[in-house]
Amino acid sequence: MSGVSSDELMAFVESLHRLLKDHSSEVEVRRLSQTPEGFDPKTWQALSALGVTGLIIDQDHGGLGAGPVELERVMEAVGASLLCAPLLSSAVLAPALLQALGNPEAKARLLPGLADGSRIATVAVTGPLGGWVAEHVAVEAKHSDNTWHLNGQASFVTHAQVADTVLVVAKTSAGLAVFEIEAKAKGVNICALPTFDHTLRMAEMEFANAPARRIESQRPVWDAVQEALNLALIALAGEQAGGARHVLDMTVDYVKNRYQFGRAIGSFQAVKHMATDLLMESESCTSAARYAAEALAANQADAPQSISLAAFACADAFCQITATSIQMHGGIAFTWAHPAHLYLRRARADAQLFGPPDYHRERYVQQLGG
Amino acid sequence: MSGVSSDELMAFVESLHRLLKDHSSEVEVRRLSQTPEGFDPKTWQALSALGVTGLIIDQDHGGLGAGPVELERVMEAVGASLLCAPLLSSAVLAPALLQALGNPEAKARLLPGLADGSRIATVAVTGPLGGWVAEHVAVEAKHSDNTWHLNGQASFVTHAQVADTVLVVAKTSAGLAVFEIEAKAKGVNICALPTFDHTLRMAEMEFANAPARRIESQRPVWDAVQEALNLALIALAGEQAGGARHVLDMTVDYVKNRYQFGRAIGSFQAVKHMATDLLMESESCTSAARYAAEALAANQADAPQSISLAAFACADAFCQITATSIQMHGGIAFTWAHPAHLYLRRARADAQLFGPPDYHRERYVQQLGG
Amino acid sequence: MSTDLVNDQALEAEVKAWLAEHWKPEALVTGEGFGRHPQQAFMTKVVEARWAVPTWPKAWWGRDLAPAQAKIIERAFAAVGAPGAGQDKSNLWANTAMAHATPAFKETIVPALLSGAVGMCLLYSEPGAGSDLAAVRTRADRRGDNYIINGQKVWTSGAAVADYGMLIARTDWDVPKHKGISFFFLPMKQTGIEVRPLRQVTNEAQFNEVFITDAIVSAENLLGPLNGGWGVLQTALAYERSVMGDAARGPRSGKDNPKGDGALIELAREAGRLNDPVIRQELAQVTAYKVLNRLNNARAKADMAQGTSSAIMSLGKLAMSRILHEEARLRTKLLGAASLLEGPDHPRAEDANFLSLNAYFTSIGGGTDQIQRNIIGERVLGLPKEPEIDREMPFRDVRSG
Amino acid sequence: MSTDLVNDQALEAEVKAWLAEHWKPEALVTGEGFGRHPQQAFMTKVVEARWAVPTWPKAWWGRDLAPAQAKIIERAFAAVGAPGAGQDKSNLWANTAMAHATPAFKETIVPALLSGAVGMCLLYSEPGAGSDLAAVRTRADRRGDNYIINGQKVWTSGAAVADYGMLIARTDWDVPKHKGISFFFLPMKQTGIEVRPLRQVTNEAQFNEVFITDAIVSAENLLGPLNGGWGVLQTALAYERSVMGDAARGPRSGKDNPKGDGALIELAREAGRLNDPVIRQELAQVTAYKVLNRLNNARAKADMAQGTSSAIMSLGKLAMSRILHEEARLRTKLLGAASLLEGPDHPRAEDANFLSLNAYFTSIGGGTDQIQRNIIGERVLGLPKEPEIDREMPFRDVRSG
């Protein structure tokens, strides 16, 4: 799908919307929220069949070979429907890291399974401190008897409890390296973390002398991790933009049809002006997410700051829109049965997943020369 | 007036309100804004006759001996009327510093003139950097031939261009000290600064080997300066509270009587809700200013943090209220002829005079143990 | 020595003696009872001894005392921790019944309410009548000596244990909306009333939905005039506002939270974020919101003690809404990635996330912030009302939903 | 090769040849002319050669060209920096006259407008009709072949140099407000029109008040039907919105300001505040507001280029209001005590303070932010309007002031 026309992209996204309408209804989202796995294997297969799990994987390895622009649009649809699936982990972070490391053997071995959905993978970077910086890596790798062994802790690992394979960033005596380890390997203990966003799965991993396979890299490992994170940030921004727009539409629809004092409440300035302000945030969110994707796709010089901008602007916009949406709905959105809080939970999770907005604002100033 | 009843205080403030109605009308404020002196000697005499210039000066030296509570209330009236006069300098900072230094000779020599308004004084603390911290003092004092001489620069000195006497905080080899110097003394150059708030007078002072009289202190000099600044912050908070309330009242009055679309614009939620939010800020501003005064008067343990709280809360409230007031008035307040901008200018000045809100927030956290 | 003073001293002696005889401090049980009181036997004695509502007339369980004298009684009860005094100020249910019930119904219901013998709930809000309470569509139709009630109520706490609900229902559909509402004490323990717990966004259920199908209430239980229920409701709401403090709950994790003005600073220290200058600015600002609200309330109380009415009082709920939302936001920021979590193993995250959601209890419940701004703008600042298009039209023509 | 393409190439050759013959680049003079153009002689040639409004009919100074072909002409003019092309899109005055003036008046006024021979101003707003333009009280009373105008207008730029003002005035007081307004080209150079500069809050005077006493305008100068002025105004306002970019001015001190997305960062560096983490967060946020608005506008233009209408376009003014107020706030914060000052010796303070005041030009002028939110909410989001109490009543009964 690299070099796809915008019509082709629209058609693909349209197919995905139809799939999600069937497979990611509110009822289904609520059902999956209560399962330990947090996703439906049949939906996962359907996503694979459409090409979503292999979206960014190159065509040689069974993927569509799409870029950031397509990824961002796909994630808008995902965000709108609150899809429960390990997409961010297995279709973005893991393949992006493998491709960034550029190790042909590892790519050939792992990417086809990720593309066809038969293998679920994730990436473990940060430790208990939770920052997406090299200093927070808390796993150490030691080499002895021709084997690498991992010791330490990784935390906030997305979808680790449903992963087959985990790519672990670990410290070695010669700097950071990436290790491949099976989730069921001995010495690996995966402990699910209870998440406020019930559509998200996340775990803590303990490594006790766990044997792992090192994936040699053609470039500095932290650069490769950054590249994967950048793609993950664009995916997240797309999810936020799609979620934000959906919540705005849902809210506008409600205030047009909810009558109090003999009038649709959307005719009251207090409500109308909140809606207008949310439109501004939603449009800005979409612009930021799409521009970051375009800038990265075109390898523009402003790609890094555009990604940081999207990271904090989209996080704040999605949070503000979902929070204000509850206020605009009034009492009905204070009930569990109303979907507004499901989006708020997702928004609050997305705002933290790969660093909070303040962190990205600080990076943005650095990237602008400050 | 120390230990005055609240009825007596009310009567005093009422007299002051009448005086200000006559002597500080909008026309008069606009006239004085254009004069180099920025105040009217007759009004100054009237204020002295009422006791305002000697408000906090002890009765032994011709003052009323009032405390922070009375000062704060008086300044509310001053703020409401935008009075143009060197009150903060000559009736607060200078006498407060003299009383804090506790030097009987200096008090006897200077306070009576300040109390009866025949002498105008101010205090020079900060240098070109503009911070109200000891490190920003940029005047040095050297002792030779039995005389002290000052060299260096003081800036943002309120009302220096109309002062007879300036109390200068300067560095000596043995730490900070306070020096008394006549504005007309040789080696003193006072250069008026153009202020955005046209009701304020402020100057830069250059000292070139200027002979000065040292005022010995009974206590660490910076403690005394802090004590004077605390009283000035309470006075400023009172001015902000009074100004904020006045602007709120003026704005509410306008939106009740301005009709568009066949309705008073205050009936529109957008305008009504802005007014309500300003009421919250105005009431909080008044509470903060009054409580800080009470806490200091009663020497409470929470006096320091209460003064910091008032410093940033009142500054922000006055700025927000005057800024929103212009928006609520619409086009009419975009004209020079409308008084809204006069209050905005005062609010912006007050927010910087003795340190900006961020500075006081930081202090507040420290005072709360952070 | 004035007669008044002599009387006051006698009163104080009398109440103290009575308490010494009847009150067993170890008997104190607390708990939210929705009108029903755990110490009912003692409460009955309080009512019989006329300590419960001393400012009420002697004919109605009172002593015709002045408020200042009533204070003597309240202080004496408070000194020993005994319940039951001061109900002339605090008992929403009894005051409403006293003011508006028929003499016959008052005779039975008021002592029951004062002695905590009956549980109560409020049947006001409906799915279609939230901000706009006057739009209630629950109907009360006369049949003989009774009214037949049909409709649905929501946000009702205590419904499952209540003996009566204070109900507003429509009794005339052909007049403007405020003029066709009546106010009833509806017996709750009857078929025709179904109470379903309402699961909140916080995954708790403190409220209920109440489905009412052909429930029966005696015409004797009508409070105030037929179709005059809006007026009764206004006095009941005024009592409610004056009695109920802010009901917003603090952290729920069970882990201790720091107290006082430095509480947020301690949380920042615990989270290792206290040295961050950005955090410090926000600590100052959110703490300021809390302290300023306290100072405002203190000033309001001082104003009212001096007899001047206070504009500030009504700002409290709006201020609390901002405090709660902002504190939740700051707590989230302090935690960073840790705020992704919840549950007993992650109490600080549990609290931050709970508070983020529960803040809406205050910003929506009891009138949204937006409605509250209308009320303050109109009642405190005297700003004109908006045109109300449905004020004068027959209710059956009003669009609602 | 298609006929179209051949035609296009011929057109391009023709316009280039014409420009080569008539345009002397060194002659370019710029300056705000309020309709009057400094290169009038050249402009007259442009009009006569039919380059000014090529999409208009041949009978009216045009060439009946499609917009895409008109673009060829505009590009050729732009390439050599010559003025006068593209007026079918940009000339508010001429478009309004072309659409609504009588044929006879058009014959004289339109070429004058296109060639920049006459100065123009807008006589819309009044002291009592700001947000609510339909409430104008300036009156136009018929007398013979003329109308006599009395009233007061405000916020008029260019009034002192204008030959005509586009005026809305009330011609029927007994019908609802929108239905009694007429639209005139009022000759400004007559006794009966007094122009007074209006001093702004920024201590400048870019606008005027216009006092009109028994001024005369020929009935020939009426645009559109009598009492149909509201419709004419709507098309004129639509032109104005599509033509005028954001007119807010930047810093005025004369001192160079850093450019680009890093501009605020450079100001912070200059002020010695760049290392303050609190400042850094705000630098990011205010810069983000600016960049996001640019990205939104780019997306809107791309949408429109694809023929889909864009909801985003209308957000620009509201976004700019926030940008200006927030940038002014941040610049003030960077300066600290230095922001107390103003004047040429303190250019950064002068700029911060000027911007603080001039931000209201955007948040109030051309429709307040509040009115703008109404418009966006209603036209973009489709939210229902408020009840308009004065929409149907005779204007003389409408309360105003």
Side-chain angles (χ1 to χ4, degrees):
Chain A
M1 198 152 95
S2 62
V4 289
S5 74
S6 84
D7 283 354
E8 287 170 311
L9 175 57
M10 284 303 134
F12 184 83
V13 170
E14 192 43 50
S15 306
L16 176 59
H17 269 297
R18 280 196 300 273
L19 186 158
L20 293 170
K21 205 173 162 208
D22 291 343
H23 287 79
S24 187
S25 64
E26 186 187 330
V27 170
E28 180 70 356
V29 167
R30 287 179 182 272
R31 182 181 74 79
L32 293 171
S33 288
Q34 295 185 304
T35 66
E37 302 77 24
F39 78 105
D40 185 322
K42 280 200 217 97
T43 300
W44 191 246
Q45 276 170 21
L47 289 165
S48 302
L50 182 60
V52 175
T53 53
L55 186 71
I56 65 161
I57 294 172
D58 56 51
Q59 290 169 329
D60 294 347
H61 296 102
L64 294 185
V69 172
E70 294 75 26
L71 175 62
E72 191 278 336
R73 290 297 179 108
V74 161
M75 291 302 291
E76 286 187 26
V78 165
S81 76
L82 281 180
L83 174 69
C84 299
L87 268 188
L88 261 185
S89 301
S90 196
V92 184
L93 270 178
L97 181 57
L98 284 169
Q99 294 185 142
L101 292 167
N103 181 311
E105 183 273 328
K107 282 164 66 181
R109 185 159 40 75
L110 295 171
L111 288 177
L114 297 184
D116 70 16
S118 60
R119 183 197 295 268
I120 290 177
T122 189
V123 177
V125 179
T126 190
L129 290 175
W132 293 83
V133 290
E135 303 79 59
H136 283 197
V137 170
V139 180
E140 293 199 3
K142 286 243 166 66
H143 196 243
S144 60
D145 305 332
N146 270 335
T147 320
W148 287 91
H149 289 87
L150 304 183
N151 279 286
Q153 229 183 345
S155 197
F156 305 104
V157 188
T158 51
H159 305 105
Q161 59 266 66
V162 297
D164 304 298
T165 305
V166 182
L167 304 178
V168 183
V169 178
K171 292 184 275 191
T172 73
S173 55
L176 294 175
V178 174
F179 296 85
E180 171 192 341
I181 196 163
E182 293 305 291
K184 299 206 172 71
K186 70 170 186 183
V188 178
N189 186 24
I190 296 179
C191 179
L193 288 166
T195 48
F196 177 66
D197 173 12
H198 299 172
T199 70
L200 173 70
R201 291 296 170 271
M202 184 170 259
E204 204 166 53
M205 300 183 74
E206 293 263 351
F207 301 95
N209 224 31
R213 181 199 295 243
R214 175 166 179 171
I215 303 180
E216 297 290 343
S217 174
Q218 296 176 343
R219 51 196 291 211
V221 163
W222 191 249
D223 288 1
V225 172
Q226 282 296 318
E227 196 174 308
L229 278 177
N230 275 344
L231 219 54
L233 286 172
I234 284 173
L236 202 61
E239 171 166 308
Q240 289 162 326
R245 182 75 217 190
H246 179 86
V247 172
L248 172 63
D249 291 343
M250 171 178 104
T251 308
V252 167
D253 195 55
Y254 180 78
V255 302
K256 278 181 191 168
N257 293 294
R258 167 76 171 175
Y259 278 69
Q260 293 279 275
F261 306 101
R263 295 162 54 181
I265 62 170
S267 70
F268 287 100
Q269 285 188 332
V271 175
K272 186 179 288 176
H273 293 190
M274 281 197 275
T276 304
D277 289 343
L278 295 193
L279 174 67
M280 171 98 80
E281 298 309 318
S282 171
E283 293 293 353
S284 301
C285 181
T286 302
S287 294
R290 291 187 185 174
Y291 185 77
E294 289 161 19
L296 185 64
N299 224 340
Q300 286 169 210
D302 67 349
Q305 62 255 43
S306 301
I307 293 169
S308 293
L309 173 64
F312 70 82
C314 297
D316 286 340
F318 195 20
C319 283
Q320 186 192 333
I321 290 170
T322 51
T324 308
S325 168
I326 295 182
Q327 185 68 26
M328 290 171 71
H329 278 87
I332 188 77
F334 196 68
T335 66
W336 188 267
H338 193 275
H341 73 104
L342 306 180
Y343 285 90
L344 177 72
R345 289 169 189 264
R346 174 73 67 98
R348 285 172 61 84
D350 284 357
Q352 298 293 343
L353 265 189
F354 305 118
D358 278 14
Y359 165 74
H360 292 291
R361 264 188 286 273
E362 172 58 35
R363 277 191 4 149
Y364 184 57
V365 172
Q366 290 170 22
Q367 287 155 339
L368 287 177
Chain B
M1 197 153 94
S2 64
V4 290
S5 74
S6 83
D7 285 351
E8 286 168 312
L9 175 57
M10 285 301 136
F12 184 82
V13 169
E14 193 43 51
S15 307
L16 176 58
H17 268 296
R18 279 195 301 271
L19 187 158
L20 293 171
K21 205 172 163 210
D22 292 342
H23 288 76
S24 187
S25 64
E26 186 188 331
V27 169
E28 180 70 356
V29 168
R30 287 179 183 270
R31 182 182 75 79
L32 292 170
S33 289
Q34 295 185 305
T35 65
E37 302 76 27
F39 77 104
D40 184 323
K42 279 200 218 98
T43 301
W44 190 247
Q45 276 170 21
L47 289 165
S48 302
L50 183 61
V52 175
T53 54
L55 187 72
I56 66 162
I57 294 171
D58 56 49
Q59 290 168 328
D60 294 346
H61 295 102
L64 294 185
V69 171
E70 293 76 26
L71 175 61
E72 190 279 333
R73 290 299 178 107
V74 161
M75 291 303 292
E76 286 187 25
V78 165
S81 76
L82 280 180
L83 174 67
C84 298
L87 267 187
L88 262 184
S89 300
S90 195
V92 185
L93 270 178
L97 180 57
L98 284 169
Q99 294 185 143
L101 291 167
N103 180 309
E105 183 274 328
K107 283 165 64 180
R109 187 158 39 77
L110 296 170
L111 288 177
L114 298 183
D116 69 18
S118 59
R119 184 196 296 267
I120 292 177
T122 189
V123 176
V125 180
T126 190
L129 289 175
W132 294 83
V133 291
E135 302 81 57
H136 283 197
V137 171
V139 180
E140 293 200 2
K142 288 240 165 67
H143 196 242
S144 61
D145 304 332
N146 270 337
T147 320
W148 287 90
H149 289 88
L150 303 184
N151 279 287
Q153 228 183 346
S155 199
F156 305 104
V157 188
T158 52
H159 306 104
Q161 60 265 65
V162 297
D164 304 297
T165 305
V166 182
L167 305 177
V168 183
V169 179
K171 292 184 275 192
T172 74
S173 56
L176 293 175
V178 173
F179 296 85
E180 172 192 340
I181 196 163
E182 292 305 290
K184 298 206 173 70
K186 69 170 186 182
V188 178
N189 186 26
I190 298 181
C191 179
L193 288 166
T195 47
F196 177 66
D197 173 11
H198 299 171
T199 70
L200 174 69
R201 291 295 169 274
M202 182 169 261
E204 205 166 54
M205 300 183 74
E206 293 264 350
F207 302 95
N209 224 31
R213 183 200 294 244
R214 175 166 180 170
I215 302 179
E216 298 290 343
S217 175
Q218 297 177 344
R219 50 195 292 211
V221 164
W222 191 249
D223 286 1
V225 172
Q226 283 296 320
E227 195 173 309
L229 278 177
N230 276 344
L231 218 53
L233 286 172
I234 284 172
L236 202 61
E239 171 167 307
Q240 290 163 326
R245 183 74 218 189
H246 179 87
V247 172
L248 172 63
D249 290 344
M250 170 178 102
T251 307
V252 167
D253 194 54
Y254 181 78
V255 303
K256 279 181 190 168
N257 293 295
R258 167 76 172 174
Y259 278 70
Q260 294 280 274
F261 307 101
R263 294 160 57 178
I265 62 171
S267 71
F268 288 99
Q269 284 188 333
V271 175
K272 186 179 289 176
H273 293 190
M274 282 197 276
T276 304
D277 289 344
L278 295 194
L279 174 68
M280 171 99 77
E281 298 310 319
S282 171
E283 292 293 353
S284 301
C285 182
T286 302
S287 293
R290 292 187 184 174
Y291 185 75
E294 288 161 19
L296 184 64
N299 224 340
Q300 287 169 208
D302 66 351
Q305 63 255 43
S306 302
I307 292 169
S308 293
L309 173 64
F312 70 82
C314 296
D316 287 342
F318 195 20
C319 283
Q320 186 191 332
I321 290 170
T322 51
T324 308
S325 167
I326 294 183
Q327 185 69 26
M328 290 171 72
H329 278 87
I332 187 76
F334 196 66
T335 66
W336 189 266
H338 194 275
H341 73 105
L342 305 180
Y343 285 91
L344 177 70
R345 289 168 188 265
R346 174 73 66 99
R348 285 171 62 84
D350 284 357
Q352 298 293 344
L353 266 189
F354 305 118
D358 279 16
Y359 165 74
H360 293 291
R361 265 189 285 273
E362 172 58 36
R363 276 187 9 146
Y364 185 57
V365 171
Q366 289 169 24
Q367 287 154 340
L368 288 177
Chain C
M1 202 181 261
S2 73
T3 325
D4 277 359
L5 194 52
V6 174
N7 287 345
D8 286 359
Q9 289 177 342
L11 180 65
E12 187 172 350
E14 182 188 352
V15 64
K16 282 184 170 170
W18 187 89
L19 283 164
E21 184 179 347
H22 295 96
W23 174 240
K24 308 278 171 292
E26 65 274 20
L28 184 62
V29 184
T30 56
E32 167 73 279
F34 303 108
R36 197 177 287 123
H37 201 281
Q39 256 96 33
Q40 216 198 103
F42 174 73
M43 292 289 279
T44 304
K45 288 187 204 161
V46 174
V47 176
E48 286 167 357
R50 299 176 177 274
W51 299 130
V53 285
T55 59
W56 285 11
K58 288 182 180 157
W60 296 99
W61 308 282
R63 289 169 173 251
D64 273 323
L65 292 187
Q69 291 176 298
K71 267 269 176 215
I72 295 169
I73 297 167
E74 287 165 46
R75 272 195 298 264
F77 270 69
V80 299
Q87 294 193 61
D88 31 15
K89 279 186 274 179
S90 69
N91 191 319
L92 162 68
W93 328 99
N95 276 290
T96 306
M98 181 65 188
H100 299 288
T102 63
F105 188 50
K106 267 202 285 212
E107 283 288 356
T108 62
I109 194 69
V110 172
L113 290 167
L114 291 175
S115 59
V118 288
M120 294 293 300
C121 67
L122 298 174
L123 300 170
Y124 297 164
S125 297
E126 298 179 5
S131 296
D132 182 14
L133 266 187
V136 287
R137 302 185 84 81
T138 292
R139 55 190 310 137
D141 299 299
R142 182 91 189 203
R143 198 170 68 195
D145 290 340
N146 296 320
Y147 285 86
I148 309 302
I149 315 293
N150 281 282
Q152 183 189 346
K153 295 288 179 178
V154 74
W155 302 117
T156 306
S157 51
V161 297
D163 297 294
Y164 290 94
M166 297 212 301
L167 167 78
I168 52 172
R170 191 158 304 277
T171 38
D172 188 342
W173 298 71
D174 296 313
V175 294
K177 63 180 186 174
H178 296 95
K179 296 175 181 163
I181 295 171
S182 298
F183 196 107
F184 298 91
F185 262 55
L186 173 70
M188 293 291 286
K189 308 288 192 201
Q190 59 173 312
T191 57
I193 292 187
E194 184 196 353
V195 175
R196 290 188 208 154
L198 180 62
R199 192 175 177 191
Q200 296 150 222
V201 71
T202 53
N203 208 358
E204 302 167 311
Q206 296 160 306
F207 298 101
N208 303 279
E209 294 177 289
V210 179
F211 296 84
I212 311 173
T213 312
D214 292 334
I216 298 170
V217 57
S218 162
E220 192 60 45
N221 291 18
L222 175 66
L223 266 69
L226 182 66
N227 295 321
W230 188 251
V232 180
L233 176 67
Q234 292 316 301
T235 58
L237 289 176
Y239 271 119
E240 196 178 338
R241 287 197 200 100
S242 74
V243 170
M244 297 198 175
D246 190 277
R249 288 149 59 217
R252 72 168 171 190
S253 72
K255 178 165 177 181
D256 267 357
N257 268 272
K259 301 278 185 293
D261 295 346
L264 290 169
I265 288 168
E266 292 315 311
L267 284 175
R269 197 192 307 277
E270 179 189 304
R273 301 295 304 277
L274 186 54
N275 291 329
D276 180 338
V278 179
I279 294 291
R280 293 173 72 83
Q281 288 289 311
E282 299 191 22
L283 288 169
Q285 194 58 59
V286 180
T287 302
Y289 289 143
K290 301 171 95 162
V291 174
L292 290 171
N293 188 39
R294 190 177 67 222
L295 296 180
N296 278 344
N297 286 335
R299 199 152 65 84
K301 280 188 190 145
D303 282 359
M304 290 194 299
Q306 290 194 349
T308 57
S309 81
S310 178
I312 325 172
M313 209 63 191
S314 53
L315 292 170
K317 179 168 177 294
L318 203 53
M320 190 51 71
S321 165
R322 174 162 74 175
I323 290 167
L324 293 167
H325 281 286
E326 286 296 303
E327 174 166 345
R329 199 188 50 71
L330 178 53
R331 279 175 174 250
T332 303
K333 198 165 179 176
L334 292 179
L335 294 174
S339 73
L340 286 159
L341 309 178
E342 67 173 9
D345 292 341
H346 307 281
R348 291 295 184 234
E350 171 77 8
D351 288 342
N353 286 316
F354 169 74
L355 290 170
S356 296
L357 291 171
N358 206 53
Y360 293 99
F361 179 88
T362 297
S363 63
I364 293 174
T368 62
D369 285 355
Q370 287 67 42
I371 293 286
Q372 196 67 14
R373 285 193 180 91
N374 277 357
I375 293 172
I376 296 169
E378 288 158 18
R379 299 198 192 154
V380 180
L381 294 175
L383 294 172
K385 291 193 141 202
E386 287 194 277
E388 292 171 89
I389 61 171
D390 64 339
R391 191 159 189 98
E392 299 306 330
M393 68 172 70
F395 183 73
R396 59 171 83 249
D397 299 333
V398 172
R399 180 142 183 207
S400 65
Chain D
M1 199 181 264
S2 73
T3 324
D4 278 359
L5 195 49
V6 173
N7 288 345
D8 285 1
Q9 287 176 342
L11 180 65
E12 189 173 349
E14 182 189 350
V15 64
K16 281 185 172 171
W18 187 90
L19 283 164
E21 185 181 346
H22 294 96
W23 174 239
K24 308 280 172 291
E26 66 275 19
L28 184 63
V29 184
T30 55
E32 166 73 280
F34 303 110
R36 196 177 288 124
H37 202 281
Q39 257 97 33
Q40 217 198 99
F42 174 73
M43 293 288 281
T44 304
K45 288 185 205 163
V46 174
V47 176
E48 286 166 356
R50 299 174 177 277
W51 298 130
V53 286
T55 59
W56 285 12
K58 288 182 181 158
W60 296 99
W61 308 282
R63 290 170 173 249
D64 272 324
L65 295 187
Q69 291 176 297
K71 266 268 176 217
I72 294 170
I73 297 168
E74 288 164 46
R75 273 195 297 262
F77 270 68
V80 299
Q87 294 192 59
D88 33 13
K89 279 186 273 179
S90 67
N91 192 318
L92 162 68
W93 327 100
N95 277 288
T96 305
M98 181 66 189
H100 299 290
T102 64
F105 187 51
K106 266 203 283 211
E107 284 288 356
T108 61
I109 193 70
V110 171
L113 291 166
L114 292 176
S115 60
V118 289
M120 294 293 301
C121 67
L122 298 173
L123 300 170
Y124 297 164
S125 297
E126 298 179 6
S131 297
D132 182 14
L133 268 187
V136 287
R137 303 184 85 81
T138 292
R139 53 191 311 138
D141 299 300
R142 181 91 188 204
R143 199 171 66 193
D145 290 341
N146 296 318
Y147 284 86
I148 309 302
I149 314 293
N150 281 283
Q152 184 190 344
K153 295 289 178 176
V154 74
W155 301 118
T156 305
S157 51
V161 297
D163 298 295
Y164 290 94
M166 296 212 302
L167 168 78
I168 51 172
R170 189 158 307 278
T171 38
D172 189 341
W173 298 71
D174 295 313
V175 292
K177 63 180 186 173
H178 296 94
K179 295 175 182 161
I181 294 171
S182 300
F183 195 106
F184 298 92
F185 262 54
L186 172 70
M188 293 290 286
K189 307 290 193 203
Q190 59 172 311
T191 56
I193 293 187
E194 185 196 352
V195 175
R196 288 188 209 155
L198 182 61
R199 193 175 177 191
Q200 296 151 222
V201 71
T202 53
N203 207 357
E204 302 166 312
Q206 295 160 306
F207 298 101
N208 303 280
E209 294 178 288
V210 179
F211 296 83
I212 311 173
T213 313
D214 290 335
I216 298 171
V217 57
S218 162
E220 193 58 44
N221 290 18
L222 175 66
L223 266 68
L226 182 67
N227 294 322
W230 187 251
V232 180
L233 177 68
Q234 292 315 300
T235 57
L237 289 176
Y239 271 119
E240 196 179 337
R241 283 197 202 103
S242 74
V243 170
M244 298 196 174
D246 191 279
R249 288 148 59 217
R252 71 167 170 189
S253 70
K255 178 166 178 180
D256 267 359
N257 268 270
K259 302 278 183 294
D261 295 347
L264 290 169
I265 287 168
E266 292 316 310
L267 284 175
R269 197 193 306 277
E270 179 189 304
R273 302 295 304 278
L274 187 54
N275 290 330
D276 180 338
V278 179
I279 294 290
R280 294 173 71 83
Q281 288 288 311
E282 299 191 21
L283 289 169
Q285 194 58 59
V286 180
T287 302
Y289 289 143
K290 301 171 94 165
V291 174
L292 291 170
N293 189 39
R294 190 176 69 222
L295 297 180
N296 279 343
N297 286 333
R299 197 153 66 83
K301 281 187 190 149
D303 282 1
M304 289 193 298
Q306 290 193 350
T308 58
S309 80
S310 177
I312 323 172
M313 208 63 192
S314 53
L315 293 170
K317 180 168 177 293
L318 203 53
M320 189 52 71
S321 165
R322 176 163 72 175
I323 290 167
L324 292 167
H325 281 286
E326 286 296 303
E327 174 167 346
R329 198 188 52 68
L330 177 51
R331 279 175 174 250
T332 303
K333 199 165 179 177
L334 291 179
L335 294 174
S339 73
L340 286 159
L341 309 179
E342 68 174 7
D345 293 341
H346 308 282
R348 292 294 184 236
E350 171 76 9
D351 288 342
N353 286 317
F354 169 73
L355 291 170
S356 296
L357 291 171
N358 205 53
Y360 293 99
F361 179 89
T362 298
S363 64
I364 292 174
T368 63
D369 285 356
Q370 288 67 42
I371 294 285
Q372 196 66 14
R373 286 194 179 91
N374 276 357
I375 293 173
I376 296 169
E378 288 158 18
R379 298 197 193 155
V380 180
L381 295 174
L383 295 172
K385 291 192 140 203
E386 288 193 276
E388 292 171 89
I389 60 169
D390 63 340
R391 193 164 186 94
E392 299 305 331
M393 69 171 71
F395 183 73
R396 60 172 83 251
D397 299 335
V398 172
R399 180 145 181 205
S400 66

